Amino acid sequence: MAGVQTAVALREQGFTGPVTLIGAEPHQPYDRPPLSKAVLLGNAEHSAFDVDFEALDITLRLGLDVTGLRAADHELDTPDGPVPYDVLVVATGAEPLALPGSEGVPGVHLLRTLDDAARLRPVLEQRHDVVVVGAGWIGAEFATAARAAGCAVTVVEAAGRPLAGVLPAEVAAPMAGWYAEGGAGLLTGARVARVEPGRVVLADGRALPADAVVVGIGARPATRWLAGSGIELGPDGSVTADASLRSSLPDVYAVGDCASFPSARYGERLLVHHWDNALQGPRTVAAALTAREGDGLPVYDPVPYFWSEQFGRFVQYAGHHAGADALVWRGDPAEPSWTVCWLRAGALVAVLAVGRPRDLAQGRKLIESGVELAPERVADPSVPLKSAAL
């Protein structure tokens, strides 16, 4: 997504020089969100971007691994030989974390690529017993698809609740009930001791039947190929880009899941592993590369946004709640739709909307504006969120 959008944005913003898009996968560039939904269920054969690369004069080099970066020579190392560049945009995304000890065990799957989805589709078609390790966004979305296909599904989560690393306990707690409503088992506080063919053994000795195991325990920036290049990486493995998404190396930018950036809005460096970041960031990179001499460089400081479809619910989130000093509920979490708002010094900094897209849309604009809100009006779900501004 980030690579394709960078190439397209360069053309849209008037860049006329050669543009080459290199990808390790052999497939035409494709969108990832459908992989855990329509593609898995056989409702879409693929999710290729509707982009005419030939008309845009963008050269595709697919199925080509990039193994190293030699910044002094302005060259990339590949099995086909060196590839020179004037400007390089690193958009290598993230790679899913494997469950320790599960490598090579038959029936263990990750879900990140089109090939991963293709390998999982027969699992759903044959209505296997499935164990999902990890009750994060991907785990919930896959469990939803597997239940829709008629599989028996058990989700195993080491923490005490779903989305433990993402949302506060009181916000994530209502989501635990969604699993049972959807017919999926959820085991929290359950650690996997080992995976064997046909079963998952937990640390407490319980054994779960598993024709297939799907691992969704997180991802890390796909930057290991940059080792030895001299590029600055953060402790999380991300390329530490500046406010214009430039890396520490000359003529090298980074965008999407593999790059962190400083946010003046939130006062900290952010690493955002979501689709909207891979859509918005490339426009900043293209603007920086096409800026005329004397123009100021563009600044990338978005309101992060993502969505998730799970167990019949449409969940949306905008912002970043880590620095909030107040949490306000809009509606009852026992109901089908509700919203949570996070405030800092009276201003909205993040919003989570379940089945309330208008709250999300209005909340996103309020975050951008930074206006102070009246908490009692924020808490009233019958009052439009935009009307809570003081």
Side-chain angles (χ1 to χ4, degrees):
M1 177 68 176
V4 168
Q5 292 300 328
T6 300
V8 170
L10 281 166
R11 291 298 187 227
E12 288 176 345
Q13 297 188 33
F15 182 76
T16 57
V19 175
T20 301
L21 188 60
I22 299 175
E25 294 182 64
H27 312 290
Q28 281 289 114
Y30 61 87
D31 207 6
R32 293 192 191 278
L35 297 185
S36 61
K37 307 170 185 74
V39 174
L40 262 184
L41 294 172
N43 299 331
E45 283 307 305
H46 55 77
S47 57
F49 290 111
D50 185 17
V51 174
D52 191 335
F53 294 101
E54 187 175 354
L56 290 172
D57 193 23
I58 295 168
T59 300
L60 294 182
R61 297 192 65 178
L62 305 176
L64 180 62
D65 274 315
V66 176
T67 56
L69 165 61
R70 287 177 288 110
D73 299 324
H74 273 54
E75 284 186 342
L76 296 170
D77 291 322
T78 80
D80 291 356
V83 175
Y85 66 84
D86 294 314
V87 174
L88 172 68
V89 180
V90 178
T92 46
E95 53 193 8
L97 298 175
L99 184 67
S102 68
E103 296 88 342
V105 178
V108 177
H109 300 264
L110 299 169
L111 180 53
R112 181 74 185 183
T113 68
L114 192 60
D115 289 336
D116 291 338
R119 283 188 287 268
L120 275 165
R121 194 186 297 178
V123 171
L124 271 60
E125 290 171 349
Q126 294 162 26
R127 300 187 176 183
H128 281 312
D129 288 337
V130 178
V131 170
V132 179
V133 182
W137 301 115
I138 288 292
E141 290 182 4
F142 179 80
T144 300
R147 285 298 302 136
C151 297
V153 179
T154 302
V155 180
V156 177
E157 170 57 52
R161 61 184 187 276
L163 297 165
V166 183
L167 295 175
E170 61 189 296
V171 177
M175 299 176 174
W178 297 356
Y179 288 78
E181 286 178 29
L186 173 63
L187 301 178
T188 56
R191 294 192 172 275
V192 174
R194 61 187 182 278
V195 179
E196 302 173 350
R199 67 177 195 162
V200 172
V201 180
L202 303 181
D204 62 8
R206 283 178 291 176
L208 308 175
D211 299 308
V213 179
V214 178
V215 179
I217 57 174
R220 58 157 283 135
T223 56
R224 283 184 283 193
W225 66 279
L226 289 165
S229 68
I231 200 167
E232 183 183 345
L233 301 179
D236 52 17
S238 66
V239 176
T240 54
D242 70 7
S244 299
L245 299 179
R246 296 176 297 181
S247 81
S248 62
L249 295 178
D251 303 320
V252 179
Y253 291 71
V255 67
D257 287 8
C258 68
S260 61
F261 56 90
S263 170
R265 185 191 313 278
Y266 291 106
E268 61 181 284
R269 179 167 288 274
L270 300 182
L271 174 62
V272 180
H273 280 192
H274 292 296
W275 184 92
D276 191 65
N277 181 50
L279 172 68
Q280 305 295 343
R283 296 169 183 169
T284 297
V285 171
L289 292 177
T290 56
R292 289 174 296 188
E293 195 166 338
D295 289 349
L297 283 174
V299 171
Y300 187 59
D301 195 5
V303 174
Y305 166 74
F306 72 89
W307 77 95
S308 176
E309 297 173 73
Q310 51 184 270
F311 305 114
R313 292 167 172 84
F314 186 45
V315 183
Q316 295 173 282
Y317 178 97
H320 180 65
H321 65 264
D325 54 33
L327 185 153
V328 181
W329 288 87
R330 281 171 63 81
D332 183 349
E335 297 296 323
S337 62
W338 45 274
T339 297
V340 172
C341 297
W342 285 269
L343 308 178
R344 184 177 63 209
L348 190 67
V349 292
V351 57
L352 173 78
V354 177
R356 291 180 65 97
R358 187 171 297 176
D359 278 359
L360 190 288
Q362 294 179 9
R364 197 173 182 180
K365 291 178 180 176
L366 289 169
I367 296 169
E368 289 171 350
S369 70
V371 298
E372 192 173 345
L373 306 182
E376 68 278 2
R377 293 181 67 78
V378 172
D380 186 345
S382 68
V383 174
L385 197 50
K386 63 182 179 182
S387 299
L390 291 176

